[in-house]
Amino acid sequence: MVEGEVGTEADRAPDKPVRVYADGIFDLFHFGHARALEQAKKLFPNSYLLVGCCNDELTHKFKGKTVMTDKERYESLRHCRWVDEVIPDAPWVLTKEFLDKHQIDYVAHDSLPYADASGAGNDVYEYVKSIGKFKETKRTEGISTSDIIMRIVKDYNQYVLRNLDRGYTRKELGVSYVKEKRLRVNRGLKKLHEKVKKQQEKVGEKIQVVAKTARVRRNEWVENADRLVAGFLEMFEERCHKMGTAIRDRIQERLRGQHLIGFIYDREDDEDEDEDDDDVYYYDSDPDDKDYHDD
């Protein structure tokens, strides 16, 4: 095989793994890093993954300050299941000499260009790409070291209080006495606000329950209104009928009583008239008859 050319599977012994190299800073090692290394490991059925990690001097010079030291970053990589070997003090720009030294067959990384140390904006993977030994991996969206740092900076005060509660001193955290007190007061006010808010939510829930119950009762009334009104009218009509019957019976009873009294009075009047007729008949006899008797 000609030096500098990509080897084929035919040129490789059947039991010899493909040596794949992946590099990076790997600060605050997270699952995005692990997925990238998994992709590199699985580029070939039989592979040996070497992972290079730049030291603090190079990283701080070309990229900026890290949270973890280079020793911590190396150790994090050693505990990743996809990594077969960690190469400390990895170079910033990959060269032919470095590839030959570690017998690297392919370099795996995402396709984004990374500036080299020249300041001219050249891609650090330019040489590897030119000889056909570059294999692209995909970045995991939504997670990166910069994103994690941004979350911490955004909620800085909360993390300061978190560490104060865990026993760190304000001097260890670089916080002044005034700032510490202000943070604690603000947290107390926030807790009070949350407590009031929860109480308001409970009251709101109770009001909703009452309103819902009222709506249900109203719906029941609307649905049963015709039946309830008809029942009331039926009951009212029945009672009115009974009352009317009772009043009629009492009136008739009184009328019958008055008729009986009137009948008795009529009979007495008739008897008086009969007696008067008899007297007239006795005293108003014919004078001739009297004379006749005198004779």
Side-chain angles (χ1 to χ4, degrees):
M1 182 175 65
V2 180
E3 185 178 352
E5 292 182 353
V6 179
T8 63
E9 293 300 323
D11 300 326
R12 187 179 307 283
D15 57 344
K16 185 178 180 181
V18 179
R19 293 174 68 84
V20 180
Y21 177 80
D23 63 356
I25 307 304
F26 302 106
D27 192 22
L28 298 176
F29 189 84
H30 52 74
F31 69 88
H33 294 140
R35 285 182 176 177
L37 297 177
E38 179 185 5
Q39 293 177 60
K41 177 67 174 177
K42 293 181 178 180
L43 285 172
F44 302 95
N46 184 16
S47 64
Y48 185 85
L49 181 61
L50 303 96
V51 179
C53 187
C54 301
N55 58 32
D56 286 345
E57 183 180 357
L58 277 179
T59 303
H60 295 169
K61 181 180 179 180
F62 295 115
K63 191 167 185 177
K65 182 175 176 56
T66 58
V67 178
M68 301 172 68
T69 65
D70 47 13
K71 303 298 187 295
E72 292 170 337
R73 292 184 282 117
Y74 301 156
E75 191 63 22
S76 296
L77 287 167
R78 291 189 181 100
H79 289 274
C80 178
R81 62 177 295 185
W82 310 111
V83 178
D84 295 306
E85 181 181 341
V86 175
I87 301 178
D89 301 316
W92 194 258
V93 180
L94 297 181
T95 62
K96 179 180 180 300
E97 291 73 22
F98 182 80
L99 298 181
D100 292 342
K101 177 183 177 180
H102 295 282
Q103 301 178 354
I104 295 170
D105 297 311
Y106 293 95
V107 175
H109 205 276
D110 62 74
S111 60
L112 294 177
Y114 288 82
D116 62 11
S118 66
N122 298 324
D123 187 359
V124 297
Y125 301 106
E126 183 177 356
Y127 170 71
V128 180
K129 291 177 180 178
S130 68
I131 62 175
K133 287 192 174 185
F134 184 83
K135 293 290 184 181
E136 181 183 349
T137 58
K138 300 296 182 181
R139 295 176 65 88
T140 300
E141 296 296 330
I143 184 67
S144 68
T145 300
S146 298
D147 289 339
I148 295 174
I149 294 175
M150 183 189 68
R151 297 176 195 175
I152 297 172
V153 173
K154 180 181 178 181
D155 297 322
Y156 167 75
N157 291 339
Q158 294 183 31
Y159 288 112
V160 169
L161 287 170
R162 174 182 181 273
N163 281 6
L164 286 172
D165 292 340
R166 281 160 176 74
Y168 289 88
T169 65
R170 61 178 182 81
K171 291 184 178 180
E172 290 175 320
L173 298 173
V175 177
S176 67
Y177 174 82
V178 175
K179 184 173 180 63
E180 178 192 357
K181 297 303 179 185
R182 184 169 66 249
L183 289 175
R184 293 188 183 279
V185 169
N186 289 338
R187 181 173 63 176
L189 292 174
K190 184 177 180 180
K191 288 183 177 179
L192 178 61
H193 178 266
E194 291 175 352
K195 186 176 180 180
V196 171
K197 185 178 179 180
K198 287 182 179 179
Q199 191 64 27
Q200 289 175 339
E201 290 175 353
K202 290 181 179 179
V203 172
E205 290 175 357
K206 291 182 179 179
I207 292 174
Q208 290 179 358
V209 171
V210 172
K212 184 177 180 180
T213 303
R215 285 195 299 269
V216 170
R217 297 291 175 82
R218 178 182 175 275
N219 292 336
E220 289 179 356
W221 163 252
V222 172
E223 292 174 359
N224 300 320
D226 292 341
R227 181 177 58 82
L228 295 174
V229 171
F232 171 77
L233 293 176
E234 183 179 352
M235 181 179 63
F236 181 77
E237 183 180 0
E238 182 180 356
R239 292 188 177 181
C240 288
H241 177 71
K242 290 181 178 180
M243 185 180 298
T245 303
I247 294 172
R248 185 188 61 193
D249 292 343
R250 292 184 63 181
I251 292 173
Q252 290 179 352
E253 184 178 352
R254 289 189 177 185
L255 289 175
R256 284 195 300 267
Q258 292 178 359
H259 179 71
L260 179 60
I261 293 172
F263 177 74
I264 293 172
Y265 285 148
D266 290 341
R267 290 193 61 182
E268 290 179 352
D269 291 340
D270 292 341
E271 290 177 357
D272 291 340
E273 290 177 358
D274 291 341
E275 289 178 358
D276 291 340
D277 290 342
D278 292 340
D279 292 339
V280 172
Y281 179 76
Y282 179 79
Y283 291 105
D284 292 341
S285 57
D286 192 348
D288 294 336
D289 292 340
K290 182 179 179 182
D291 295 337
Y292 174 79
H293 290 293
D294 291 337
D295 292 339

